[in-house]
Amino acid sequence: MLLQEIPKKEDIISAEKRIHDYVHRTPVFTSTTLNEILGVNVYFKCENLQKVGAFKMRGASNAILSLTKAQLKKGVATHSSGNHAQAVALAAKLSKIPAYIVMPQNAPEVKVEAVRRYGAEVIYCDSTLNAREETLKDVVAKTGATFIHPYDNYDVIAGQATCAKEMIEDTDHLKAIYAPIGGGGLMAGTLLSSQYFGHKIPVIGAEPEGADDAYRSWKAGKIIPMEFPDTIADGLRTSLGERNFPIIQEHIEDIITVSDQEIIEAMRLIFNYLKLVVEPSGAVPFASMIKSKERYKGHKVGVILCGGNVDLKRLPF
Amino acid sequence: MLLQEIPKKEDIISAEKRIHDYVHRTPVFTSTTLNEILGVNVYFKCENLQKVGAFKMRGASNAILSLTKAQLKKGVATHSSGNHAQAVALAAKLSKIPAYIVMPQNAPEVKVEAVRRYGAEVIYCDSTLNAREETLKDVVAKTGATFIHPYDNYDVIAGQATCAKEMIEDTDHLKAIYAPIGGGGLMAGTLLSSQYFGHKIPVIGAEPEGADDAYRSWKAGKIIPMEFPDTIADGLRTSLGERNFPIIQEHIEDIITVSDQEIIEAMRLIFNYLKLVVEPSGAVPFASMIKSKERYKGHKVGVILCGGNVDLKRLPF
């Protein structure tokens, strides 16, 4: 049964059980040297080590595993050129159901290949949002597949919430959790897990300056979509979803925006000291943490390293 | 008490207890996608996630913690511009004793800084091996410090052996273990742990074609030093040690040499699929494994990812 309202505590616990065999319980790493440099003890939740290389596997798995038998039979569909596409493809493969992924003709060959390797059918379209949505509509009409939205979907939010739930269980005394905001799926889930499982640990949103719609929406009290995002953090260029914004509005502690330069420096530190490969979007929460490090001097904070799918030929250093 | 002969089973067990608080028990990772691509199930022992970013912390810690009180008081010394220097510096810092590190004037600033950050005293010298050894002799004469050799030292070998011991304990049914050969410290330790704790799992040596002295020495039955090493794998340019060679001669299954191109491709796969930062030397065992993958088709093998200290400005992709 698909969720019709904001996930409750039980919904997240159920999601965790449901996706248990589909995802990794990712490790939490810390670096003594990095902590000494920053003066803050930072615990990194390594979702770059998650299946498909990003937290997206949690939400996609939960949404797919919540479908009815009749729905499962007809398969799932989505439009994405990013980590969500791979996550839907892999979760569908593990569930032995068809997946239809609408991708722009100009999507990087490596991403198309990754989706195909998981056995999904790729349907090309023009690269405008309109073309994507129309093509998806056609696919759904023709196949009867269920559309799995990348973030504006309560089952996806419940799945993403399991990430912060695990981090809270595997650490002690966190004074704050830093998580990214793109469409708001991971952020909404993180906020809910903080409320339900984390004694309301303050959650700080991290956003690129060049895609700061969440910051502006939060200040304005209404969704202000991002028209022309311009940031190296390609995973965070999307605008907030309707189901995500109210959760963010109610619970978020603060939103800290960072420049591309700050994102690149955070990436560099993660490569250097944690020896982990992280994509630009995955380094945004750490960049926000560094920018606000005086707030938590001498304390412990959690930072979600949300993804590691970076094109090695285009590393910014 | 320092070891005077090849470490016995009990010596390695003692080493593991001795260094317990100085090192991480590093995780063993595997990648479903990579395993599908290769047709072999590869278990990576992640020593790039070890303290100082390399297995060297194990041997240096064991050697230092085996010194007498009188020796400890006078500190330790070594000459190295690589991971062993950082390992000696950090292990000395944790033991609250002085460390003197002889480094060539042309050593990368970042490596000098890392050693200084751990509180060691850096003594510069010319970049020839002769100058290093002379300078070290002076330092030892002046300070009374104990020289910790990077590999030609039984206590160092016993420390490095704990890496394979952990990997054997944390996996099942490995058909082979791939480990690198530089001076032979890690290789000798790996061979001993396979004998004592691994039911004699075959151990395969991995070496760059441009520094194949172990391969040639093994074939010749005597040490043939490497005169002009030429490989991207800077950590494996050293020649075999006298204490290391007999252990290798007695127990090694095979030695597989790889080209720089093969090393770079192995690095790329590790970055891409494991999301781990690995230095060129650290990818050499995996490159050898790929080259010989037909031998273990459908089986499990262990591969030691021995270090992650790569200059991000000089990544080969």
Side-chain angles (χ1 to χ4, degrees):
Chain A
M1 266 299 284
L2 297 180
L3 295 173
Q4 300 302 325
E5 49 184 34
I6 294 178
K8 298 186 191 61
K9 185 171 179 176
E10 307 80 69
D11 296 322
I12 296 171
I13 294 170
S14 300
E16 190 178 29
K17 287 184 191 150
R18 199 176 288 127
I19 67 177
H20 182 271
D21 293 341
Y22 278 48
V23 303
H24 296 307
R25 187 177 186 105
T26 54
V28 176
F29 286 160
T30 191
S31 157
T32 310
T33 303
L34 202 49
N35 293 345
E36 282 173 9
I37 293 171
L38 296 169
V40 183
N41 296 319
V42 190
Y43 290 81
F44 293 92
K45 176 67 172 166
C46 298
E47 288 295 295
N48 58 331
L49 303 178
Q50 186 53 269
K51 293 197 182 185
V52 312
F55 72 94
K56 294 279 185 181
M57 188 60 189
R58 297 175 183 270
S61 299
N62 190 48
I64 288 177
L65 290 167
S66 299
L67 297 176
T68 62
K69 274 195 184 168
Q71 287 172 319
L72 281 171
K73 214 172 161 186
K74 295 190 170 168
V76 289
T78 197
H79 60 85
S80 160
S81 57
N83 296 331
H84 178 63
Q86 290 188 48
V88 168
L90 177 56
K93 180 189 171 187
L94 294 172
S95 299
K96 301 191 174 66
I97 63 167
Y100 309 95
I101 315 288
V102 174
M103 297 182 92
Q105 257 141 7
N106 60 0
E109 192 51 35
V110 54
K111 300 214 166 186
V112 177
E113 260 177 54
V115 165
R116 285 218 177 102
R117 194 186 309 120
Y118 295 130
E121 184 174 322
V122 173
I123 298 103
Y124 285 109
C125 67
D126 285 345
S127 69
T128 64
L129 182 60
N130 192 43
R132 287 193 196 197
E133 287 176 346
E134 287 303 315
T135 310
L136 181 75
K137 228 182 259 173
D138 284 353
V139 169
V140 167
K142 215 179 293 176
T143 62
T146 304
F147 172 38
I148 308 289
H149 194 286
Y151 47 86
D152 195 4
N153 172 314
Y154 289 129
D155 297 281
V156 168
I157 291 171
Q160 318 302 28
T162 61
C163 171
K165 179 173 185 289
E166 289 175 6
M167 180 164 59
I168 289 163
E169 289 166 356
D170 293 344
T171 55
D172 283 314
H173 308 300
L174 295 183
K175 288 282 177 188
I177 295 174
Y178 288 76
I181 319 183
L186 181 62
M187 178 46 78
T190 303
L191 290 162
L192 294 177
S193 280
S194 157
Q195 293 294 310
Y196 300 145
F197 311 107
H199 307 290
K200 306 190 181 183
I201 297 171
V203 176
I204 296 180
E207 224 184 6
E209 283 173 6
D212 65 343
D213 61 299
Y215 180 78
R216 287 181 296 113
S217 301
W218 179 54
K219 288 287 176 196
K222 60 174 185 183
I223 295 182
I224 301 175
M226 195 71 222
E227 284 197 71
F228 304 104
D230 178 18
T231 169
I232 189 175
D234 53 322
L236 302 177
R237 289 179 191 146
T238 39
S239 297
L240 278 180
E242 279 175 32
R243 289 168 185 75
N244 312 82
F245 182 57
I247 302 173
I248 292 172
Q249 243 187 330
E250 187 172 350
H251 298 299
I252 206 160
E253 172 83 5
D254 197 0
I255 296 178
I256 295 171
T257 61
V258 286
S259 68
D260 278 8
Q261 209 45 51
E262 289 166 328
I263 295 168
I264 292 167
E265 174 61 10
M267 270 181 90
R268 204 182 59 77
L269 292 171
I270 292 165
F271 272 67
N272 247 340
Y273 291 102
L274 292 171
K275 307 301 177 193
L276 291 175
V277 173
V278 69
E279 62 188 86
S281 303
V284 169
F286 185 45
S288 294
M289 189 267 121
I290 295 171
K291 198 163 184 174
S292 55
K293 67 181 180 196
E294 294 305 321
R295 295 188 194 179
Y296 300 107
K297 220 171 175 71
H299 291 288
K300 290 184 183 180
V301 302
V303 167
I304 300 181
L305 278 193
C306 48
N309 293 325
V310 62
D311 184 344
L312 296 178
K313 290 198 191 102
R314 302 177 69 178
L315 288 173
F317 33 67
Chain B
M1 263 301 283
L2 297 179
L3 295 174
Q4 301 302 323
E5 49 184 38
I6 294 178
K8 298 185 190 62
K9 185 172 180 177
E10 307 79 71
D11 296 323
I12 295 171
I13 294 170
S14 300
E16 189 177 31
K17 287 185 189 147
R18 199 177 288 128
I19 67 177
H20 183 272
D21 294 342
Y22 278 47
V23 302
H24 296 307
R25 185 177 188 107
T26 53
V28 176
F29 287 160
T30 191
S31 157
T32 309
T33 304
L34 203 47
N35 293 345
E36 284 174 6
I37 292 171
L38 296 169
V40 182
N41 295 319
V42 190
Y43 290 80
F44 293 92
K45 175 68 172 166
C46 299
E47 288 295 294
N48 58 331
L49 304 177
Q50 186 52 269
K51 293 198 182 183
V52 312
F55 72 93
K56 294 279 186 182
M57 187 61 188
R58 297 174 183 269
S61 298
N62 190 48
I64 289 177
L65 290 167
S66 299
L67 297 175
T68 63
K69 274 194 184 168
Q71 287 172 317
L72 282 170
K73 213 172 160 185
K74 296 191 170 168
V76 289
T78 198
H79 60 85
S80 160
S81 57
N83 294 331
H84 178 64
Q86 292 188 46
V88 169
L90 177 56
K93 180 189 171 190
L94 294 173
S95 298
K96 300 191 174 69
I97 64 168
Y100 309 94
I101 315 287
V102 174
M103 297 181 92
Q105 257 143 4
N106 60 0
E109 192 52 35
V110 55
K111 300 214 166 186
V112 177
E113 260 176 53
V115 166
R116 285 217 177 100
R117 193 187 308 120
Y118 295 129
E121 184 175 322
V122 173
I123 298 101
Y124 285 109
C125 68
D126 285 344
S127 66
T128 64
L129 181 61
N130 192 41
R132 288 192 194 196
E133 288 176 346
E134 287 303 314
T135 310
L136 181 74
K137 228 181 259 175
D138 284 355
V139 169
V140 167
K142 216 179 291 174
T143 61
T146 305
F147 171 39
I148 309 289
H149 195 285
Y151 47 87
D152 196 4
N153 174 314
Y154 289 128
D155 296 280
V156 168
I157 291 171
Q160 317 304 28
T162 62
C163 172
K165 180 173 185 291
E166 289 176 6
M167 180 164 60
I168 289 164
E169 289 166 356
D170 293 344
T171 54
D172 283 314
H173 308 298
L174 294 183
K175 289 280 178 189
I177 295 174
Y178 288 77
I181 318 182
L186 181 61
M187 178 46 77
T190 303
L191 290 163
L192 294 177
S193 280
S194 157
Q195 294 295 309
Y196 300 146
F197 311 107
H199 306 289
K200 307 190 179 182
I201 298 172
V203 176
I204 296 179
E207 224 185 6
E209 282 173 5
D212 64 343
D213 61 300
Y215 180 78
R216 287 181 298 114
S217 302
W218 179 54
K219 288 284 176 197
K222 62 173 184 186
I223 294 183
I224 302 174
M226 195 71 222
E227 283 196 70
F228 304 104
D230 177 18
T231 170
I232 189 176
D234 53 324
L236 302 178
R237 288 178 193 149
T238 39
S239 297
L240 278 181
E242 278 174 35
R243 289 169 186 75
N244 313 81
F245 182 58
I247 301 173
I248 292 172
Q249 242 187 331
E250 187 172 350
H251 298 297
I252 206 160
E253 171 82 7
D254 196 0
I255 297 179
I256 295 171
T257 62
V258 286
S259 68
D260 278 9
Q261 209 46 50
E262 290 167 326
I263 296 169
I264 292 168
E265 174 60 12
M267 270 182 90
R268 204 181 60 76
L269 291 172
I270 292 165
F271 273 67
N272 247 339
Y273 292 101
L274 292 172
K275 306 301 176 193
L276 291 176
V277 173
V278 68
E279 60 187 87
S281 304
V284 169
F286 185 44
S288 294
M289 188 264 122
I290 295 171
K291 199 163 183 172
S292 55
K293 67 182 181 195
E294 293 306 322
R295 295 187 196 180
Y296 300 107
K297 216 166 180 75
H299 291 288
K300 290 184 181 178
V301 301
V303 166
I304 300 181
L305 279 191
C306 49
N309 292 326
V310 61
D311 184 345
L312 296 179
K313 291 199 190 101
R314 302 178 69 179
L315 288 174
F317 31 69

